[in-house]
Amino acid sequence: MILLDRVTKLYGKDTKPALNRVSLHIEPKEFVILVGTSGAGKSTLLKILTREERPTSGKIVVGGIDYDSLKKKNIPLLRRKIGVVFQDFKLLPQRTVFENIAFALEIVGMSNREIRHTVPKVIDLVGLKGKEDKFPNELSGGERQRVAIARAVVRQPKILIADEPTGNLDPKHSWDIVRLLEKINRYGTTVLLTTHNKDIVDKLKRRVITIDHGKIIADVAQGSYKQG
Ligand code: ADP
């Protein structure tokens, strides 16, 4: 599902590589935690997966799409396969919970009728029933992250990238979000989570990939969830 073969990323000619011959294989429906100190290369790896950045060398295949032969016009198709959530939520402040989620469907041309049918289901999934008409500033941090997750999964991506989703949350809300990611993973979405929260890494018992200076220095399977 996600395949990286000796991926190297140099931002400048004389700089050290942000990624240095990284090879990685993530199966469909896996739940993987990516850890590493600041500057290790985590964001670069995620940006390469979403095609925000291109590698200097190496091969990438995600969900059957070979990035070498990926045409510009097919990038939206790739982005539909990958949902992303961030530490700072990135919600639209002038839009309600419902509208924030609906927006992800409007931009791909879904009809209002389909939107009215689809959005409540995902609001239910993330546990925000009754909050549809609230604005982001009327919500707690944990609730805002739920909206961001709902928006990321409403188009049913194959992969959910969660980049430090608990970075702004207290421990209780952090665990609520992690449990929600696990629920989404159980429904069949591959989850790639980056976190600095050691408690989460230790207790989740999932595959943990450690990056340091642009290299994978550890890749430990800890009873990662596999179906079948
Ligand atoms: P992490 O997400 O683990 O903190 P990054 O992928 O952001 O790490 O950074 C890896 C390395 O690449 C760092 O040395 C960082 O300074 C460098 N880097 C990241 N983005 C850029 C950029 N746009 N231009 C130049 N250097 C960058």
Side-chain angles (χ1 to χ4, degrees):
M1 152 90 13
I2 299 177
L3 187 90
L4 270 68
D5 185 20
R6 286 163 289 174
V7 169
T8 293
K9 174 68 182 178
L10 286 160
Y11 283 106
K13 274 211 173 92
D14 301 322
T15 56
K16 286 193 176 156
L19 292 177
N20 191 352
R21 291 169 68 84
V22 167
S23 294
L24 182 61
H25 189 192
I26 297 175
E27 299 277 352
K29 300 175 183 152
E30 264 194 273
F31 190 120
V32 178
I33 307 173
L34 188 62
V35 300
T37 52
S38 182
K42 303 179 298 296
S43 305
T44 301
L45 176 58
L46 300 182
K47 283 179 187 161
I48 279 180
L49 290 176
T50 57
R51 192 72 165 186
E52 272 173 80
E53 291 286 353
R54 298 181 72 151
T56 310
S57 62
K59 193 172 179 58
I60 302 145
V61 183
V62 173
I65 299 178
D66 184 338
Y67 284 26
D68 283 337
S69 51
L70 182 63
K71 297 211 169 60
K72 213 173 175 181
K73 68 171 193 307
N74 289 327
I75 290 177
L77 200 72
L78 172 76
R79 300 243 165 94
R80 267 188 237 180
K81 284 184 189 272
I82 307 177
V84 188
V85 294
F86 305 93
Q87 178 170 351
D88 58 356
F89 321 129
K90 298 196 194 299
L91 300 177
L92 299 165
Q94 313 295 351
R95 293 185 186 233
T96 64
V97 168
F98 187 99
E99 289 164 351
N100 263 279
I101 302 165
F103 187 66
L105 299 175
E106 284 166 21
I107 57 174
V108 294
M110 194 181 263
S111 71
N112 280 339
R113 193 165 160 269
E114 277 178 288
I115 289 174
R116 280 199 303 275
H117 177 73
T118 307
V119 173
K121 284 189 189 168
V122 76
I123 285 180
D124 210 15
L125 171 80
V126 302
L128 284 177
K129 226 171 170 179
K131 308 265 180 185
E132 293 83 350
D133 298 328
K134 299 271 184 215
F135 287 90
N137 68 2
E138 298 176 299
L139 302 174
S140 71
E143 288 170 337
R144 285 182 210 177
Q145 193 57 288
R146 284 170 188 275
V147 180
I149 291 171
R151 184 183 55 185
V153 300
V154 70
R155 294 191 310 221
Q156 300 187 308
K158 294 268 182 272
I159 301 163
L160 178 62
I161 289 177
D163 191 4
E164 281 282 344
T166 62
N168 283 333
L169 305 179
D170 62 32
K172 164 152 192 334
H173 286 119
S174 294
W175 274 104
D176 287 348
I177 291 300
V178 169
R179 294 300 175 215
L180 176 57
L181 295 177
E182 288 197 296
K183 183 173 164 187
I184 288 164
N185 177 244
R186 277 198 300 278
Y187 283 126
T189 307
T190 307
V191 173
L192 187 51
L193 165 70
T194 75
T195 182
H196 283 114
N197 186 321
K198 203 170 172 310
D199 188 47
I200 290 173
V201 177
D202 290 343
K203 290 194 181 139
L204 261 189
K205 305 259 182 285
R206 300 287 186 166
R207 178 179 172 190
V208 180
I209 297 174
T210 310
I211 302 197
D212 188 37
H213 291 92
K215 280 183 177 285
I216 293 179
I217 57 161
D219 185 345
V220 183
Q222 290 182 319
S224 58
Y225 174 79
K226 289 243 174 69
Q227 247 182 352

